[in-house]
Amino acid sequence: MKNFPDRDLEQLSAYLDGQLSSPKSAQVESRLASDPEFASALDEIRTARSILRKLPARKAPRNFTLTRQMVGLKPPLPRSYFAFRFSSTFAALLLIFTFAANALAPRVSLPAEQSFSFASGGSAAASKAPAEAPAPEAAAATEAPAIQAPSSAMAVAPTAASPAASADSAREIETPAVSNKVPVSMSASSNQSQVRHEALIPVGWQIGLLILGLISAIIAFVINQNAKKKWS
Amino acid sequence: MDELALIETAQHGDLDSFNTLILHYQDMVFHTALRILGDEDLAEDASQEAFISAFRSISSFRGGSFKAWLMRTVTNACYDEFRRQKRRPTTPLEPDTTDGEEMDSPRWLADPSMTPAEKSEADELEHAIQHCLNALPTEFRTVVVLTDIQGMDYSEVATSIRVPLGTIKSRLARARLRLRDCLRGFEELLPSSFRLEGESNS
């Protein structure tokens, strides 16, 4: 067979399949009538197509139907499943929070307690201010009222600092009276806060959250398994 | 079978509807994969992969020819299979010449130097045709399989393999001629009508 240009062969192939427009088909037909080699090329193409069409259609050796597992479909789950799963997750998060809170509370709360102490100390000072205000005036006349002032502070929280203060002269006590009270009240309040921090989130709550989380998780798991059994 | 209704329900995740479609198309899909890949086991794997992929992406089907859309999935699965094969060492279909270059013509299949085992394998016409199909470049083979074996029209094939219509025409013409060249080597296997047809026009 003569070697025809690709364009001619494409035309012949398309003509054979009826894919050419009417004018182009007419052109090809006139050339086929005048050029035997062109007609021979058409015959070659037609033969190849006929042989291919003769190929027996092979049936599928098995069914290719899909299962839900093959396509990764999940079974439809009831709403209760999501409620229990949420409950379980929420309980777990809360439980983690309680542990974190208990662990971090002493460190975080110290400055908070300090500010509380300052505030209470300030207020205490403010409340005592009228009572103490006459003290310096009285101290000028007699020592008795001046000595009473530190003794009132000692009554709130007797510490090592207060004897030192009481050992000093009344004049020394006069001016730093309020500032001397601050460390005293701080140490007292931090001791109280330590007692409070130990029971910031009670163990009972943690156990309750743990049980709630576990039960919710188990129920959610059972619902999921039942749904899978029904699905398959 | 109400194909559109089945497609619509399958698009909403109904696997049973999609399985009905599979039962309708599975022979065609397997046959296409077999002719493109030339191996039954590979064709089986590619067909299964094609259906899985088709189900997962059925929401992307926006109407038109479902057959053409499905054929695109099948040809993609076949190309994936070819890529997997490329990663593994395989025997080339076209032998190298003495210069170390790949032979362009597939006539080697009918070469008298073929081993007896190869000849016996090519005894049947179907095997001969499959050998000639295997000798075609993949893109030519895909076009000729979809057009001449599956009977799809040019536009459907163009949609399936996302290639311009002109390219389809060109590839088809060349593929047919190459096949005819190859099949000449198996003339004795061809039905007499084909031989006579060729002779009468020559």
Side-chain angles (χ1 to χ4, degrees):
Chain A
M1 188 181 80
K2 183 183 161 186
N3 279 333
F4 289 99
D6 284 350
R7 188 182 167 81
D8 286 351
L9 295 173
E10 283 170 30
Q11 274 201 334
L12 276 178
S13 181
Y15 170 76
L16 191 66
D17 292 329
Q19 298 283 329
L20 285 184
S21 60
S22 300
K24 282 191 176 176
S25 286
Q27 279 180 4
V28 170
E29 278 166 6
S30 66
R31 190 174 169 188
L32 282 171
S34 61
D35 186 349
E37 288 206 11
F38 196 58
S40 174
L42 175 68
D43 187 59
E44 296 280 326
I45 294 170
R46 182 188 286 121
T47 305
R49 190 183 72 165
S50 304
I51 291 168
L52 286 172
R53 287 183 175 179
K54 272 279 179 186
L55 260 179
R58 294 283 291 273
K59 286 189 177 289
R62 62 178 175 86
N63 279 343
F64 292 113
T65 48
L66 305 176
T67 63
R68 292 172 179 94
Q69 285 80 14
M70 285 164 82
V71 292
L73 279 180
K74 289 176 181 174
L77 294 164
R79 284 186 181 181
S80 57
Y81 167 79
F82 297 101
F84 281 113
R85 205 176 68 170
F86 174 77
S87 164
S88 163
T89 310
F90 192 64
L93 287 173
L94 276 181
L95 191 61
I96 292 166
F97 174 75
T98 60
F99 280 118
N102 282 349
L104 297 172
R107 293 178 200 168
V108 175
S109 62
L110 190 59
E113 287 296 331
Q114 270 182 343
S115 64
F116 174 76
S117 305
F118 279 124
S120 63
S123 63
S127 63
K128 285 173 185 173
E132 287 175 359
E137 294 167 7
T142 167
E143 284 185 357
I147 296 164
Q148 276 176 356
S151 68
S152 67
M154 284 168 64
V156 175
T159 63
S162 54
S166 62
D168 291 341
S169 66
R171 199 159 54 96
E172 281 178 315
I173 295 167
E174 272 180 3
T175 44
V178 174
S179 59
N180 277 349
K181 283 177 190 173
V182 172
V184 172
S185 59
M186 262 181 63
S187 61
S189 60
S190 62
N191 285 341
Q192 287 168 359
S193 70
Q194 275 176 3
V195 175
R196 259 182 272 138
H197 291 156
E198 283 173 8
L200 185 64
I201 296 172
V203 179
W205 278 91
Q206 290 178 324
I207 293 170
L209 285 171
L210 183 66
I211 291 168
L212 177 70
L214 282 175
I215 289 173
S216 299
I218 289 167
I219 293 172
F221 178 76
V222 169
I223 291 171
N224 193 12
Q225 290 302 309
N226 283 341
K228 277 183 182 172
K229 275 181 191 171
K230 283 180 192 171
W231 181 261
S232 55
Chain B
M1 183 184 79
D2 186 354
E3 189 175 277
L4 279 178
L6 287 172
I7 292 168
E8 202 174 321
T9 47
Q11 283 178 324
H12 288 95
D14 185 6
L15 192 59
D16 293 334
S17 297
F18 192 75
N19 278 337
T20 309
L21 290 167
I22 289 178
L23 291 173
H24 182 71
Y25 283 106
Q26 63 182 3
D27 289 339
M28 188 190 73
V29 164
F30 173 74
H31 191 216
T32 305
L34 176 65
R35 294 306 171 208
I36 293 175
L37 291 167
D39 181 279
E40 285 199 26
D41 292 335
L42 293 179
E44 214 175 308
D45 292 346
S47 302
Q48 190 68 79
E49 284 302 316
F51 282 124
I52 291 171
S53 171
F55 180 75
R56 286 180 178 157
S57 59
I58 195 166
S59 54
S60 69
F61 176 68
R62 304 264 178 245
S65 167
F66 183 69
K67 183 183 172 183
W69 182 83
L70 196 58
M71 283 299 115
R72 183 194 300 167
T73 318
V74 178
T75 50
N76 284 341
C78 290
Y79 292 156
D80 287 344
E81 198 60 53
F82 278 128
R83 280 186 215 110
R84 269 196 288 274
Q85 279 185 312
K86 271 188 181 175
R87 287 197 287 268
R88 289 180 239 142
T90 52
T91 309
L93 288 168
E94 294 186 358
D96 291 347
T97 60
T98 48
D99 301 332
E101 290 177 0
E102 206 172 63
M103 273 188 182
D104 191 36
S105 167
R107 288 171 201 257
W108 67 278
L109 288 165
D111 197 275
S113 64
M114 277 172 76
T115 64
E118 286 170 328
K119 275 183 179 171
S120 66
E121 196 181 346
D123 265 351
E124 294 173 31
L125 177 61
E126 186 184 348
H127 285 156
I129 297 170
Q130 188 62 57
H131 273 293
C132 290
L133 279 172
N134 290 349
L136 290 174
T138 311
E139 59 272 25
F140 283 30
R141 196 186 319 162
T142 305
V143 172
V144 88
V145 165
L146 294 180
T147 313
D148 287 342
I149 296 177
Q150 290 303 337
M152 293 168 74
D153 63 39
Y154 286 15
S155 58
E156 275 186 319
V157 178
T159 307
S160 289
I161 59 173
R162 291 176 173 170
V163 160
L165 209 61
T167 310
I168 299 292
K169 286 179 186 174
S170 163
R171 286 181 184 175
L172 187 60
R174 290 183 203 180
R176 282 168 171 171
L177 281 172
R178 284 198 188 196
L179 278 170
R180 184 64 189 122
D181 282 348
C182 173
L183 288 166
R184 271 187 188 141
F186 299 98
E187 199 78 32
E188 71 282 4
L189 294 175
L190 299 178
S192 56
S193 57
F194 293 128
R195 278 179 269 164
L196 287 170
E197 194 179 332
E199 285 163 12
S200 65
N201 289 291
S202 60

